[in-house]
């Protein structure tokens, strides 16, 4: 038995993604990485930097500019015993691969009555906040959360990016792994490279509270934590929940919190109509109504295309928006 201790690294989120990919490639020879510029160039955000040099071009493969082909080839490899991790450079370009993901990857186990499984991961940077042009700032996670057979995972920190990505790669079902690029390099955490994944069926309670429950995921978790600190300075105790896996949704953790506080604000960067916040709000209405002291509030983006850089800040929900919504729930409005 080796006495080698796991190494601890001080990493940004994108570096944690790279570390998880490196660990998976090292531990399982069936893991392969493919996508546009993921090899020689190390990826558009450098998430795969150095992997081709260390593991070779047969395991870290540059592909043509063809998202449908990337997803289709991944489905084929996954059904034949490999564990492909495909990168779509920006979520706005994932729609070309939508048919392969929804009609083939998500249905493979059901279609073959369990004879074939589809252990693939589709990674995509998503969300706004970096002043990118059109098609580079989408937050359309709800489209994938609606599809049976898909897991949809969104990390909010380097630690969770490392652990959740390892679990996504180990999953025998397809996972859409959405990385909020706004926080790729915003924070650093100590990440232990022990090769252990985090559960894909659990919300993470980041802060205990008793007056109001704040629910969010991805980059908006950071504005939500800032809002909780502002509220705390005014004597308001907010519980903060990071959903992390939006499908399948661990609603039990949210339900326990809401029954305790009696109030809930759900925060998402995505457009309001038909979003994950709407689903959570509906479930609270179905099962928590006797405990509610005020209607559920949603803080969301607008039902509009993400603006070009000059007006992007007008679209993004802010800490002050969250604080205002929490105060409304406390006033019973």
């Amino acid at each position: 038995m080796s006495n080698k201790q796991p190494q601890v690294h001080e990493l940004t989120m994108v570096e944690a993604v790279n570390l998880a990919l490196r660990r998976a490639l090292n531990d399982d020879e069936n893991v392969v990485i493919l996508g546009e510029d993921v090899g020689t160039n190390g990826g558009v955000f450098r998430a795969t930097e150095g992997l081709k040099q260390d593991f070779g071009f047969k395991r870290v493969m540059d592909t043509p500019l063809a998202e449908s082909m990337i997803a289709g080839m991944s489905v084929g490899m996954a059904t034949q015993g490999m564990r492909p991790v495909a990168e779509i450079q920006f979520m706005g370009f994932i729609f070309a691969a939508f048919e392969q993901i929804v009609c083939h990857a998500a249905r493979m186990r059901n279609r073959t009555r369990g004879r074939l499984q589809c252990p693939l991961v589709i990674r995509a940077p998503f969300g706004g906040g970096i002043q990118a042009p059109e098609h580079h700032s989408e937050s359309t996670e709800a489209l994938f959360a609606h599809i049976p057979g898909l897991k949809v995972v969104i990390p909010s920190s380097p630690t969770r990016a490392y652990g959740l990505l390892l679990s996504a790669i180990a999953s025998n079902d397809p996972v859409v792994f959405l990385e909020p690029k706004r926080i790729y390099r915003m924070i650093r955490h100590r990440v232990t490279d022990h090769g252990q994944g985090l559960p894909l069926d659990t919300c993470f309670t980041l802060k205990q509270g008793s007056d109001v429950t704040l629910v969010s995921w991805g980059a908006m978790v950071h504005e939500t934590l800032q809002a909780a600190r502002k509220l705390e300075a005014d004597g308001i105790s907010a519980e903060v929940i990071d959903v992390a896996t939006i499908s399948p949704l661990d609603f039990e953790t949210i339900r326990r919190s809401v029954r305790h506080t009696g109030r809930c604000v759900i925060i998402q960067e995505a457009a309001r109509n038909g979003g994950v916040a709407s689903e959570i709000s509906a479930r609270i209405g179905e099962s928590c109504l006797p405990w509610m002291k005020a209607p559920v509030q949603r803080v969301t983006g607008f039902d509009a295309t993400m603006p070009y850089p000059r007006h992007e800040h007008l679209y993004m929900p802010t800490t002050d928006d969250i604080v205002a919504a929490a105060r409304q729930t406390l006033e019973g409005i």
Side-chain angles (χ1 to χ4, degrees), residues 74-75 78-79 82-85 101 104-123 147-153 164-177 200-201 245 247-248:
S74 298
V75 172
T79 60
M82 303 188 75
R83 292 186 178 274
V85 183
I101 298 170
H104 302 292
R107 299 174 184 222
M108 190 60 67
R109 184 187 296 278
N110 181 268
R111 176 178 292 158
T112 63
R113 300 298 183 262
R115 286 186 296 108
L116 293 178
Q117 54 193 17
C118 196
L120 70 84
V121 177
I122 304 284
R123 294 180 42 246
I147 305 301
L150 290 181
K151 296 176 183 176
V152 184
V153 180
L164 292 171
L165 183 53
L166 282 179
S167 293
I169 295 170
S171 171
N172 287 330
D173 290 308
V175 178
V176 177
F177 195 86
L200 298 182
D201 57 357
T245 298
S247 183

Side-chain angles (χ1 to χ4, degrees), residues 285-307:
E286 289 168 348
S287 63
C288 303
L289 202 55
W291 292 269
M292 298 305 290
K293 302 171 185 172
V296 174
Q297 294 281 334
R298 288 175 293 162
V299 178
T300 73
F302 295 92
D303 292 333
T305 304
M306 173 68 82

Side-chain angles (χ1 to χ4, degrees), residues 73-113:
M73 196 162 74
S74 298
V75 172
M77 288 192 289
T79 60
Q80 300 305 309
M82 303 188 75
R83 292 186 178 274
V85 183
E87 179 180 295
I88 303 295
Q89 281 196 339
F90 291 89
M91 192 178 188
F93 304 134
I94 206 169
F95 303 109
F98 199 72
E99 193 267 345
Q100 293 286 353
I101 298 170
V102 172
C103 296
H104 302 292
R107 299 174 184 222
M108 190 60 67
R109 184 187 296 278
N110 181 268
R111 176 178 292 158
T112 63
R113 300 298 183 262

Side-chain angles (χ1 to χ4, degrees), residues 42-210:
V44 66
F45 289 101
R46 302 296 181 262
T48 55
E49 190 166 38
L51 299 181
K52 179 183 174 184
Q53 289 80 356
D54 292 345
F55 294 94
F57 69 91
K58 290 185 177 179
R59 299 192 65 198
V60 183
M61 295 172 276
D62 284 315
T63 68
L65 199 72
E67 284 79 8
S68 179
M69 181 276 289
I70 294 169
M73 196 162 74
S74 298
V75 172
M77 288 192 289
T79 60
Q80 300 305 309
M82 303 188 75
R83 292 186 178 274
V85 183
E87 179 180 295
I88 303 295
Q89 281 196 339
F90 291 89
M91 192 178 188
F93 304 134
I94 206 169
F95 303 109
F98 199 72
E99 193 267 345
Q100 293 286 353
I101 298 170
V102 172
C103 296
H104 302 292
R107 299 174 184 222
M108 190 60 67
R109 184 187 296 278
N110 181 268
R111 176 178 292 158
T112 63
R113 300 298 183 262
R115 286 186 296 108
L116 293 178
Q117 54 193 17
C118 196
L120 70 84
V121 177
I122 304 284
R123 294 180 42 246
F126 91 119
I130 66 165
Q131 299 190 329
E134 188 184 8
H135 290 308
H136 292 69
S137 303
E138 269 73 3
S139 297
T140 50
E141 65 269 26
L143 293 175
F144 294 98
H146 184 69
I147 305 301
L150 290 181
K151 296 176 183 176
V152 184
V153 180
I154 305 176
S156 64
S157 73
T159 307
R160 281 185 286 286
Y162 175 84
L164 292 171
L165 183 53
L166 282 179
S167 293
I169 295 170
S171 171
N172 287 330
D173 290 308
V175 178
V176 177
F177 195 86
L178 301 175
E179 299 163 9
K181 59 183 179 292
R182 177 161 66 92
I183 58 172
Y184 258 158
R185 292 180 170 81
M186 191 174 81
I187 52 173
R188 285 186 178 273
H189 278 180
R190 290 169 62 84
V191 179
T192 303
D193 185 19
H194 44 41
Q196 297 173 7
L198 290 170
L200 298 182
D201 57 357
T202 304
C203 294
F204 297 90
T205 301
L206 305 184
K207 179 181 175 302
Q208 302 284 340
S210 57

Side-chain angles (χ1 to χ4, degrees), residues 239 250-261 288:
E239 186 147 303
D250 167 27
F251 183 67
E252 186 53 36
T253 297
I254 298 171
R255 174 166 35 209
R256 278 200 302 270
S257 176
V258 171
R259 285 187 175 185
H260 176 60
T261 64
C288 303

